[in-house]
Amino acid sequence: MGVFGTGQLHDAPMAVHLFDVYVQYKKDTRAIILWLLSHQQTDHVRSQKLSVRDLLAIAECICAKAITMPDIIAFHFRQAIAARNYLSKIFRKASTEKTVAAATENHEFFTSRYFLPFTHQWVLNRTIQNIHKVFSEVECVWQKLAHGSSSLITATAVTNTAYALLENIEHRLATSHNISDPSDLLETCLKLPDNVNSAINIANTGKPAIQTIRDLDGSGQAMMNLRRVAANKDNFIDKILNPHAPPQISLRKGPDVSASDSHCRSVLLSNVAQCLSSSRLQNTFIRSGSPIVPELSFFMSREKTATNCLHCASGLSLLMSSYKAYSFALPTGQSPSHCRVQALRFAQDATTHISAVLHHPSMPCRCHGTLAFHLESLKQDIEEYLHTKMFDFYFQSPWVCGAHILEMLHALHYYGLRLCAYRSYVGSVVHMYNVLRQLHDLAPIPVLEALCEQLAELFFPGGRPRKSFKNCYVRYMGGRLRFHAKARHQNGCHGLVIPAHAARANAGFRSVEEEKDGRERTDPTPPATTPHPPSLPSTAISPPPSPSSCPLPSSTTSPSTSPAHASSTASATRTMVPR
């Protein structure tokens, strides 16, 4: 490993604090050399020294074969470069210009000429392949949806995850390569050596990876054009907000589709700009569930400080790739707008089920802050979504329709879990069903069996019981273990009790703290404004109002029960329950 030596650092006594750096530098170098030798054609004698030419030949061979570099080797590369530069700076500070050894200069030249470029090209090659792989997987899942082997929810969830992965990749590009713009990424890729470019294209089947980077650059150019048009308010209103005629859209596939893809990107961006300038963003599901809307709003409103151009371009490219993959894989006679119809049907079914719950006698109160109040608000949001006219090119996109369904499904799941805990109605039925199943050999009921299995942690703390059913039910109701005040901790001197606050909650009353708090509770849903740039991707699902701002279902007040009855219920549950 003579070429990786530390030069004149051997000739003078080494400082104590530099010894650990030197040893770690040697270990990193040894790991890199052994990995390079593991991929060469002929066996290497350990005693033989390696020249720069030998190392370069092995590296070119690895690049030509498109061998993936392990993460640990990339880590060793970064560590060795940092240590080599640090040791060289220390030695230069302690020496004069005349006494600087030629070996140190040679090592610095090697690091800057071969070591750094090789690592830079290798990491960039792997990054480009990762970007292309993400887009390929997204196209594959939307093709499966068109063939009927996947669901819209699954395809949307995979695309949301891909968008988040691309954000991580873009962050690494910005920190490691100082690339935050699609045009810079394309320019850097085109400057790579021929062997690296060939490795990028050979490593993937179908569309070459460099074409994916060109598509990203096309999305970035379309966003920059929209920003330039928006700089002139009259021009923006005339061309974007109030076009004279609806655009003619045609999706094409083949070698020469750059013109049609560019037009489709412009239409998509125009639709998003129209959404940002209209009242449609007042709807909760459109505001929080529409992909790339918050990112594009941030990019358009902060021309000098916005650094998310590459991330917005990735979202726009995902929209285009998912749209085309789904459209061209559909059977003859079907239209991509079917996803929009599916979203509307889902919303219609959701309003029907919410209305059935609200009209049930067990939901008597619509007081502010109760569960019924929030279900009423959720129903209004979904009905507003149904009545909003959204049939343009953007809102017919399968990814956008799936994101809206996923957002509604998340809200329904959130409040559905609270309905299961509401006044312990469902839990009492499930516990009684479990007792009958265990003791009287009751025939299984599919719906109740599914509740017992899927919500076991909610209904059965500690597991589904086969005995001690009463104690398990008291624990579910909020019971705690309590010892007798005057008795020692002996067998039989303790039992389960339900505290007063848990008893009030099970009876459907507010807690004592909530009754003392006379402040007016506000609707946790904020008014619709222009979305601010979120710290997470727009496709990341934001939870409904947290329990701190939205009281739990137990706080519902029942007009048929008096406070005196509630206090008596609370005091009655303090009695000991024998084991």
Side-chain angles (χ1 to χ4, degrees):
M1 294 182 217
V3 74
F4 285 96
T6 54
Q8 198 168 340
L9 287 173
H10 281 298
D11 301 338
M14 184 179 298
V16 177
H17 67 281
L18 296 179
F19 185 75
D20 293 338
V21 179
Y22 171 75
V23 172
Q24 186 61 45
Y25 163 64
K26 284 294 186 180
K27 291 181 179 179
D28 294 328
T29 304
R30 179 178 178 83
I32 295 169
I33 293 294
L34 292 178
W35 179 75
L36 289 173
L37 292 177
S38 65
H39 294 285
Q40 71 169 353
Q41 300 293 339
T42 59
D43 295 334
H44 175 74
V45 183
R46 285 183 174 270
S47 59
Q48 179 183 352
K49 291 186 177 181
L50 287 171
S51 64
V52 176
R53 182 177 301 176
D54 297 333
L55 293 175
L56 189 59
I58 298 174
E60 289 178 351
C61 180
I62 293 174
C63 287
K65 293 180 180 179
I67 299 174
T68 302
M69 179 190 294
D71 292 336
I72 186 62
I73 299 300
F75 173 77
H76 286 309
F77 264 113
R78 295 192 296 270
Q79 291 288 97
I81 293 171
R84 175 66 252 182
N85 292 335
Y86 178 72
L87 292 172
S88 297
K89 290 179 180 179
I90 292 297
F91 180 72
R92 281 185 174 275
K93 289 181 179 179
S95 307
T96 61
E97 296 182 359
K98 297 181 180 180
T99 59
V100 174
T104 300
E105 294 180 348
N106 292 337
H107 282 80
E108 291 177 348
F109 174 78
F110 171 78
T111 303
S112 60
R113 176 67 184 276
Y114 296 102
F115 210 40
L116 279 172
F118 172 73
T119 309
H120 178 85
Q121 295 170 9
W122 193 279
V123 174
L124 189 59
N125 178 13
R126 186 177 60 175
T127 302
I128 296 171
Q129 293 186 20
N130 290 338
I131 293 175
H132 180 73
K133 185 177 181 180
V134 169
F135 277 91
S136 299
E137 294 296 332
V138 170
E139 293 176 359
C140 181
V141 74
W142 286 106
Q143 290 172 357
K144 290 181 179 179
L145 173 63
H147 296 153
S149 57
S150 182
S151 65
L152 182 58
I153 297 298
T154 302
T156 304
V158 170
T159 310
N160 292 347
T161 306
Y163 197 26
L165 288 175
L166 288 175
E167 186 180 24
N168 294 335
I169 295 174
E170 293 148 10
H171 178 71
R172 291 199 298 268
L173 283 173
T175 54
S176 302
H177 306 280
N178 197 22
I179 297 175
S180 59
D181 190 86
S183 59
D184 295 339
L185 178 60
L186 179 60
E187 183 180 357
T188 305
C189 293
L190 295 177
K191 290 182 178 179
L192 291 175
D194 294 337
N195 57 346
V196 178
N197 280 325
S198 61
I200 293 175
N201 295 329
I202 291 173
N204 303 280
T205 59
K207 182 176 67 174
I210 195 65
Q211 184 60 39
T212 302
I213 307 302
R214 294 183 187 276
D215 293 341
L216 282 176
D217 181 59
S219 299
Q221 295 296 330
M223 291 164 45
M224 297 301 296
N225 292 334
L226 179 64
R227 177 188 279 181
R228 283 191 290 268
V229 172
N232 189 338
K233 185 177 181 180
D234 296 334
N235 195 19
F236 179 73
I237 295 175
D238 185 51
K239 291 186 176 181
I240 303 300
L241 301 185
N242 299 319
H244 297 290
Q248 300 295 328
I249 305 169
S250 61
L251 293 173
R252 297 181 180 180
K253 62 178 180 179
D256 189 14
V257 295
S258 57
S260 62
D261 286 355
S262 177
H263 177 66
C264 291
R265 294 188 194 101
S266 300
V267 175
L268 283 173
L269 290 176
S270 299
N271 295 152
V272 175
Q274 294 167 8
C275 175
L276 290 172
S277 304
S278 65
S279 60
R280 286 181 285 186
L281 275 183
Q282 295 179 1
N283 184 266
T284 303
F285 304 111
I286 299 176
R287 182 177 62 249
S288 57
S290 300
I292 80 168
V293 168
E295 287 84 353
L296 188 63
S297 174
F298 179 68
F299 177 78
M300 296 292 295
S301 59
R302 292 166 176 81
E303 181 176 355
K304 296 182 179 179
T305 58
T307 58
N308 63 336
C309 181
L310 186 57
H311 188 50
C312 289
S314 300
L316 184 58
S317 295
L318 280 177
L319 270 176
M320 279 293 301
S321 60
S322 60
Y323 215 139
K324 295 179 67 174
Y326 177 74
S327 301
F328 291 123
L330 281 174
T332 306
Q334 294 189 14
S335 172
S337 59
H338 173 72
C339 294
R340 174 64 183 158
V341 177
Q342 186 176 349
L344 294 176
R345 288 176 179 173
F346 181 87
Q348 184 64 48
D349 293 341
T351 55
T352 303
H353 292 298
I354 295 175
S355 299
V357 173
L358 289 174
H359 294 157
H360 196 270
S362 62
M363 303 289 290
C365 182
R366 298 293 192 277
C367 299
H368 192 87
T370 60
L371 178 62
F373 171 82
H374 289 298
L375 287 176
E376 189 74 34
S377 300
L378 178 62
K379 179 185 174 183
Q380 293 177 1
D381 287 337
I382 297 179
E383 288 177 346
E384 182 184 0
Y385 176 83
L386 281 170
H387 298 150
T388 304
K389 296 181 179 180
M390 299 178 296
F391 277 96
D392 54 21
F393 189 46
Y394 171 77
F395 283 103
Q396 288 188 28
S397 169
W399 183 23
V400 176
C401 299
H404 292 166
I405 294 178
L406 202 59
E407 195 70 24
M408 288 186 283
L409 188 64
H410 176 64
L412 292 171
H413 180 262
Y414 177 86
Y415 289 113
L417 289 178
R418 275 137 189 85
L419 277 173
C420 290
Y422 177 68
R423 293 191 175 183
S424 303
Y425 289 149
V426 179
S428 300
V429 173
V430 169
H431 274 269
M432 182 61 66
Y433 168 75
N434 181 64
V435 173
L436 296 176
R437 282 280 294 151
Q438 301 296 335
L439 299 181
H440 297 281
D441 197 20
L442 179 70
I445 302 176
V447 175
L448 295 180
E449 281 293 333
L451 288 174
C452 292
E453 294 177 2
Q454 297 179 9
L455 302 178
E457 296 181 359
L458 176 64
F459 295 133
F460 304 118
R464 188 172 180 177
R466 298 183 180 275
K467 59 181 180 179
S468 302
F469 303 106
K470 184 177 181 180
N471 289 346
C472 184
Y473 179 67
V474 173
R475 285 187 62 193
Y476 163 71
M477 298 288 289
R480 299 178 181 177
L481 190 66
R482 178 175 293 181
F483 291 89
H484 291 288
K486 297 182 180 180
R488 296 181 179 179
H489 291 184
Q490 299 175 356
N491 187 23
C493 68
H494 58 276
L496 286 171
V497 297
I498 301 178
H501 68 276
R504 291 178 63 87
N506 290 318
F509 291 94
R510 295 179 182 271
S511 64
V512 178
E513 291 77 8
E514 290 176 343
E515 289 184 350
K516 290 181 180 179
D517 186 8
R519 294 174 296 177
E520 184 70 18
R521 295 181 180 270
T522 58
D523 189 354
T525 304
T529 56
T530 301
H532 296 282
S535 55
L536 294 177
S538 63
T539 53
I541 302 178
S542 59
S546 61
S548 60
S549 59
C550 172
L552 292 177
S554 58
S555 63
T556 307
T557 305
S558 173
S560 61
T561 311
S562 63
H565 175 70
S567 60
S568 63
T569 305
S571 60
T573 53
R574 288 176 178 272
T575 56
M576 292 291 180
V577 181
R579 296 184 61 188

